[in-house]
Amino acid sequence: MTSRFTHGLRWITLSSLLLSLHAVADIEEQLAQCAAKTDKLERLICYDALAAQAINRAAQQVSTDLNEVPTHTAEVAAAQVAASQTKTTQTTLTESAQDNFGKIVKQEQIDAMWLTVKQVDKDPYGTLKLSFENGQQWKQIDSRRFRVSSGDKVQIERAALGSFLLGKEGSNTTIRVKRIN
């Protein structure tokens, strides 16, 4: 029984070795063709296509070896296939995240909103902490003086570079604020 198992393993190892030697020679030739390309984008596309081919060949080789492996080693090979498929899925997710990097995602944004002040607190430095009737809390981040009391209607509007300005109804004065909850 053991000799039959070792004979099967030797046959699988030998066939895998021969296939990999042929694949290595083929890949080296394709690598040389990719390296010969002068345009950077064409060279990158060539290398990407080569990598995809290598992944497909490895998956095919593992699946053919699974059909010929005795049942004990078939479980190990199945685990290896599952691990390689997981890596491929993770690579695909990473590539999609890289594809979207730096793009501006269009979301529905509100440029300004009117709120009614529920409570006004000051910290030891004199900056305001405002609570509104809708449950939001905002904090003053600049050092300008601003008078506001409970019950006042204020407008918070989007400003440059992701900051926000708070202004009171009937006044041109604004302060810079940041949401804290």
Side-chain angles (χ1 to χ4, degrees):
M1 181 85 164
T2 312
S3 63
R4 187 174 181 195
F5 177 73
T6 12
H7 177 69
L9 271 176
R10 285 182 188 163
W11 186 83
I12 291 170
T13 306
L14 181 63
S15 65
S16 298
L17 180 63
L18 290 175
L19 286 173
S20 64
L21 288 176
H22 176 67
V24 167
D26 188 36
I27 289 174
E28 287 177 356
E29 180 182 316
Q30 290 178 348
L31 278 171
Q33 289 175 354
C34 290
K37 295 190 183 288
T38 56
D39 185 38
K40 292 178 183 178
L41 182 60
E42 288 179 14
R43 188 170 47 246
L44 179 62
I45 291 170
C46 181
Y47 283 133
D48 287 346
L50 185 60
Q53 286 177 3
I55 290 171
N56 289 338
R57 284 183 186 166
Q60 288 174 354
Q61 183 178 357
V62 169
S63 66
T64 57
D65 287 349
L66 276 177
N67 296 334
E68 300 165 356
V69 175
T71 56
H72 173 62
T73 56
E75 294 172 359
V76 174
Q80 290 173 348
V81 169
S84 69
Q85 289 174 347
T86 303
K87 287 180 184 178
T88 304
T89 304
Q90 290 173 349
T91 304
T92 305
L93 291 175
T94 303
E95 288 172 359
S96 68
Q98 289 175 351
D99 290 342
N100 292 330
F101 179 75
K103 288 185 179 178
I104 297 173
V105 178
K106 297 284 184 181
Q107 292 181 349
E108 193 174 318
Q109 292 183 348
I110 301 172
D111 291 329
M113 60 190 267
W114 287 93
L115 300 168
T116 304
V117 178
K118 181 179 178 183
Q119 181 179 356
V120 180
D121 294 322
K122 282 190 177 182
D123 69 4
Y125 300 105
T127 59
L128 299 173
K129 180 180 172 188
L130 304 166
S131 299
F132 297 101
E133 289 183 353
N134 67 353
Q136 294 182 4
Q137 293 181 339
W138 292 73
K139 173 180 156 183
Q140 179 181 3
I141 57 174
D142 63 8
S143 58
R144 296 171 57 188
R145 290 183 46 86
F146 188 78
R147 290 187 183 177
V148 65
S149 58
S150 295
D152 287 350
K153 281 193 77 125
V154 295
Q155 179 185 26
I156 298 177
E157 61 183 337
R158 192 175 297 277
L161 302 174
S163 63
F164 296 92
L165 296 174
L166 181 135
K168 191 164 53 168
E169 189 174 35
S171 172
N172 286 339
T173 306
T174 60
I175 58 171
R176 228 165 261 288
V177 291
K178 169 180 153 181
R179 187 166 176 181
I180 55 175
N181 75 336

